[in-house]
mmCIF file of all heavy atoms in Angstrom:
data_model
loop_
_atom_site.group_PDB
_atom_site.id
_atom_site.type_symbol
_atom_site.label_atom_id
_atom_site.label_comp_id
_atom_site.label_asym_id
_atom_site.label_seq_id
_atom_site.Cartn_x
_atom_site.Cartn_y
_atom_site.Cartn_z
ATOM 1 N N ARG G 50 -29.425 -1.144 -0.222
ATOM 2 C CA ARG G 50 -30.383 -1.871 0.616
ATOM 3 C C ARG G 50 -30.538 -1.219 1.983
ATOM 4 O O ARG G 50 -31.643 -1.156 2.536
ATOM 5 C CB ARG G 50 -29.968 -3.339 0.734
ATOM 6 C CG ARG G 50 -30.136 -4.092 -0.598
ATOM 7 C CD ARG G 50 -29.878 -5.571 -0.489
ATOM 8 N NE ARG G 50 -28.515 -5.944 -0.172
ATOM 9 C CZ ARG G 50 -27.510 -6.020 -1.045
ATOM 10 N NH1 ARG G 50 -27.712 -5.720 -2.314
ATOM 11 N NH2 ARG G 50 -26.302 -6.397 -0.655
ATOM 12 N N LEU G 51 -29.446 -0.695 2.537
ATOM 13 C CA LEU G 51 -29.540 -0.032 3.843
ATOM 14 C C LEU G 51 -30.267 1.307 3.746
ATOM 15 O O LEU G 51 -31.042 1.657 4.648
ATOM 16 C CB LEU G 51 -28.146 0.138 4.447
ATOM 17 C CG LEU G 51 -27.524 -1.174 4.930
ATOM 18 C CD1 LEU G 51 -26.042 -0.989 5.231
ATOM 19 C CD2 LEU G 51 -28.268 -1.712 6.144
ATOM 20 N N PHE G 52 -30.071 2.043 2.663
ATOM 21 C CA PHE G 52 -30.835 3.284 2.483
ATOM 22 C C PHE G 52 -32.318 2.974 2.285
ATOM 23 O O PHE G 52 -33.182 3.720 2.757
ATOM 24 C CB PHE G 52 -30.282 4.134 1.336
ATOM 25 C CG PHE G 52 -29.109 4.980 1.736
ATOM 26 C CD1 PHE G 52 -27.854 4.736 1.227
ATOM 27 C CD2 PHE G 52 -29.259 6.024 2.639
ATOM 28 C CE1 PHE G 52 -26.768 5.510 1.606
ATOM 29 C CE2 PHE G 52 -28.185 6.809 3.026
ATOM 30 C CZ PHE G 52 -26.929 6.550 2.503
ATOM 31 N N ASP G 53 -32.644 1.871 1.605
ATOM 32 C CA ASP G 53 -34.048 1.448 1.499
ATOM 33 C C ASP G 53 -34.612 1.141 2.882
ATOM 34 O O ASP G 53 -35.765 1.473 3.188
ATOM 35 C CB ASP G 53 -34.189 0.201 0.613
ATOM 36 C CG ASP G 53 -34.128 0.496 -0.874
ATOM 37 O OD1 ASP G 53 -34.198 1.685 -1.255
ATOM 38 O OD2 ASP G 53 -34.011 -0.473 -1.647
ATOM 39 N N ARG G 54 -33.815 0.509 3.736
ATOM 40 C CA ARG G 54 -34.249 0.191 5.098
ATOM 41 C C ARG G 54 -34.514 1.478 5.884
ATOM 42 O O ARG G 54 -35.503 1.580 6.600
ATOM 43 C CB ARG G 54 -33.181 -0.657 5.790
ATOM 44 C CG ARG G 54 -33.690 -1.416 6.980
ATOM 45 C CD ARG G 54 -32.607 -2.254 7.631
ATOM 46 N NE ARG G 54 -32.121 -3.321 6.781
ATOM 47 C CZ ARG G 54 -31.069 -4.078 7.080
ATOM 48 N NH1 ARG G 54 -30.401 -3.886 8.195
ATOM 49 N NH2 ARG G 54 -30.686 -5.032 6.273
ATOM 50 N N LEU G 55 -33.612 2.453 5.746
ATOM 51 C CA LEU G 55 -33.797 3.738 6.412
ATOM 52 C C LEU G 55 -35.091 4.404 5.929
ATOM 53 O O LEU G 55 -35.890 4.886 6.728
ATOM 54 C CB LEU G 55 -32.594 4.657 6.148
ATOM 55 C CG LEU G 55 -32.608 6.026 6.793
ATOM 56 C CD1 LEU G 55 -31.186 6.471 7.122
ATOM 57 C CD2 LEU G 55 -33.265 7.069 5.935
ATOM 58 N N LEU G 56 -35.297 4.419 4.608
ATOM 59 C CA LEU G 56 -36.499 5.021 4.046
ATOM 60 C C LEU G 56 -37.752 4.330 4.583
ATOM 61 O O LEU G 56 -38.715 4.996 4.970
ATOM 62 C CB LEU G 56 -36.453 4.936 2.521
ATOM 63 C CG LEU G 56 -37.554 5.672 1.785
ATOM 64 C CD1 LEU G 56 -36.996 6.322 0.528
ATOM 65 C CD2 LEU G 56 -38.693 4.757 1.430
ATOM 66 N N SER G 57 -37.733 3.008 4.654
ATOM 67 C CA SER G 57 -38.896 2.269 5.168
ATOM 68 C C SER G 57 -39.154 2.605 6.628
ATOM 69 O O SER G 57 -40.311 2.750 7.037
ATOM 70 C CB SER G 57 -38.689 0.764 5.000
ATOM 71 O OG SER G 57 -38.677 0.429 3.630
ATOM 72 N N LYS G 58 -38.099 2.743 7.419
ATOM 73 C CA LYS G 58 -38.252 3.100 8.844
ATOM 74 C C LYS G 58 -38.854 4.491 8.986
ATOM 75 O O LYS G 58 -39.774 4.702 9.783
ATOM 76 C CB LYS G 58 -36.878 3.016 9.537
ATOM 77 C CG LYS G 58 -36.838 3.583 10.936
ATOM 78 C CD LYS G 58 -37.522 2.683 11.940
ATOM 79 C CE LYS G 58 -37.300 3.167 13.355
ATOM 80 N NZ LYS G 58 -38.465 3.770 13.965
ATOM 81 N N VAL G 59 -38.354 5.448 8.225
ATOM 82 C CA VAL G 59 -38.900 6.806 8.287
ATOM 83 C C VAL G 59 -40.349 6.812 7.802
ATOM 84 O O VAL G 59 -41.190 7.509 8.371
ATOM 85 C CB VAL G 59 -38.033 7.801 7.484
ATOM 86 C CG1 VAL G 59 -38.692 9.171 7.400
ATOM 87 C CG2 VAL G 59 -36.639 7.925 8.101
ATOM 88 N N ALA G 60 -40.660 6.015 6.790
ATOM 89 C CA ALA G 60 -42.042 5.931 6.310
ATOM 90 C C ALA G 60 -42.962 5.482 7.436
ATOM 91 O O ALA G 60 -43.993 6.115 7.700
ATOM 92 C CB ALA G 60 -42.138 4.975 5.121
ATOM 93 N N VAL G 61 -42.593 4.419 8.127
ATOM 94 C CA VAL G 61 -43.405 3.910 9.237
ATOM 95 C C VAL G 61 -43.550 4.973 10.321
ATOM 96 O O VAL G 61 -44.640 5.176 10.869
ATOM 97 C CB VAL G 61 -42.787 2.608 9.806
ATOM 98 C CG1 VAL G 61 -43.411 2.220 11.135
ATOM 99 C CG2 VAL G 61 -42.935 1.484 8.797
ATOM 100 N N ASP G 62 -42.450 5.676 10.618
ATOM 101 C CA ASP G 62 -42.492 6.730 11.633
ATOM 102 C C ASP G 62 -43.454 7.858 11.247
ATOM 103 O O ASP G 62 -43.900 8.619 12.101
ATOM 104 C CB ASP G 62 -41.100 7.333 11.862
ATOM 105 C CG ASP G 62 -40.141 6.360 12.535
ATOM 106 O OD1 ASP G 62 -40.589 5.295 13.024
ATOM 107 O OD2 ASP G 62 -38.930 6.664 12.554
ATOM 108 N N ASN G 63 -43.760 7.959 9.954
ATOM 109 C CA ASN G 63 -44.662 9.000 9.459
ATOM 110 C C ASN G 63 -45.992 8.415 8.973
ATOM 111 O O ASN G 63 -46.684 9.015 8.149
ATOM 112 C CB ASN G 63 -43.974 9.795 8.348
ATOM 113 C CG ASN G 63 -42.938 10.735 8.900
ATOM 114 O OD1 ASN G 63 -43.257 11.852 9.276
ATOM 115 N ND2 ASN G 63 -41.693 10.285 8.988
ATOM 116 N N ALA G 64 -46.353 7.247 9.492
ATOM 117 C CA ALA G 64 -47.621 6.574 9.182
ATOM 118 C C ALA G 64 -47.807 6.343 7.685
ATOM 119 O O ALA G 64 -48.890 6.538 7.140
ATOM 120 C CB ALA G 64 -48.796 7.362 9.774
ATOM 121 N N LEU G 65 -46.723 5.911 7.035
ATOM 122 C CA LEU G 65 -46.756 5.594 5.607
ATOM 123 C C LEU G 65 -46.094 4.239 5.389
ATOM 124 O O LEU G 65 -45.346 3.775 6.241
ATOM 125 C CB LEU G 65 -45.962 6.633 4.799
ATOM 126 C CG LEU G 65 -46.441 8.074 4.793
ATOM 127 C CD1 LEU G 65 -45.363 8.985 4.221
ATOM 128 C CD2 LEU G 65 -47.734 8.193 3.998
ATOM 129 N N THR G 66 -46.347 3.652 4.241
ATOM 130 C CA THR G 66 -45.510 2.555 3.774
ATOM 131 C C THR G 66 -44.504 3.175 2.818
ATOM 132 O O THR G 66 -44.697 4.297 2.327
ATOM 133 C CB THR G 66 -46.319 1.479 3.028
ATOM 134 O OG1 THR G 66 -46.804 2.042 1.799
ATOM 135 C CG2 THR G 66 -47.477 0.948 3.869
ATOM 136 N N ALA G 67 -43.435 2.452 2.528
ATOM 137 C CA ALA G 67 -42.464 2.955 1.551
ATOM 138 C C ALA G 67 -43.142 3.155 0.199
ATOM 139 O O ALA G 67 -42.851 4.107 -0.519
ATOM 140 C CB ALA G 67 -41.284 1.999 1.438
ATOM 141 N N GLY G 68 -44.071 2.267 -0.146
ATOM 142 C CA GLY G 68 -44.805 2.403 -1.403
ATOM 143 C C GLY G 68 -45.703 3.630 -1.430
ATOM 144 O O GLY G 68 -45.820 4.312 -2.452
ATOM 145 N N ASP G 69 -46.366 3.913 -0.290
ATOM 146 C CA ASP G 69 -47.190 5.132 -0.202
ATOM 147 C C ASP G 69 -46.318 6.354 -0.423
ATOM 148 O O ASP G 69 -46.686 7.280 -1.150
ATOM 149 C CB ASP G 69 -47.853 5.243 1.170
ATOM 150 C CG ASP G 69 -48.900 4.175 1.437
ATOM 151 O OD1 ASP G 69 -49.372 3.527 0.477
ATOM 152 O OD2 ASP G 69 -49.243 3.995 2.621
ATOM 153 N N TRP G 70 -45.170 6.361 0.223
ATOM 154 C CA TRP G 70 -44.246 7.488 0.112
ATOM 155 C C TRP G 70 -43.774 7.659 -1.331
ATOM 156 O O TRP G 70 -43.685 8.770 -1.851
ATOM 157 C CB TRP G 70 -43.058 7.265 1.027
ATOM 158 C CG TRP G 70 -42.186 8.458 1.275
ATOM 159 C CD1 TRP G 70 -42.246 9.683 0.674
ATOM 160 C CD2 TRP G 70 -41.119 8.531 2.198
ATOM 161 N NE1 TRP G 70 -41.269 10.509 1.174
ATOM 162 C CE2 TRP G 70 -40.566 9.815 2.114
ATOM 163 C CE3 TRP G 70 -40.575 7.624 3.089
ATOM 164 C CZ2 TRP G 70 -39.484 10.222 2.893
ATOM 165 C CZ3 TRP G 70 -39.500 8.035 3.861
ATOM 166 C CH2 TRP G 70 -38.969 9.318 3.766
ATOM 167 N N ALA G 71 -43.501 6.535 -2.011
ATOM 168 C CA ALA G 71 -43.087 6.602 -3.411
ATOM 169 C C ALA G 71 -44.187 7.236 -4.271
ATOM 170 O O ALA G 71 -43.909 8.064 -5.150
ATOM 171 C CB ALA G 71 -42.731 5.213 -3.929
ATOM 172 N N ALA G 72 -45.444 6.880 -4.004
ATOM 173 C CA ALA G 72 -46.556 7.468 -4.771
ATOM 174 C C ALA G 72 -46.690 8.957 -4.482
ATOM 175 O O ALA G 72 -46.867 9.765 -5.395
ATOM 176 C CB ALA G 72 -47.863 6.731 -4.449
ATOM 177 N N LEU G 73 -46.596 9.321 -3.199
ATOM 178 C CA LEU G 73 -46.662 10.741 -2.847
ATOM 179 C C LEU G 73 -45.493 11.503 -3.473
ATOM 180 O O LEU G 73 -45.669 12.630 -3.957
ATOM 181 C CB LEU G 73 -46.657 10.921 -1.323
ATOM 182 C CG LEU G 73 -47.850 10.358 -0.554
ATOM 183 C CD1 LEU G 73 -47.648 10.556 0.952
ATOM 184 C CD2 LEU G 73 -49.154 10.972 -1.016
#
Side-chain angles (χ1 to χ4, degrees):
R50 291 186 294 279
L51 288 168
F52 277 113
D53 281 348
R54 199 180 295 172
L55 181 148
L56 187 142
S57 293
K58 170 74 172 107
V59 173
V61 167
D62 291 349
N63 285 274
L65 296 167
T66 68
D69 293 343
W70 194 353
L73 296 177

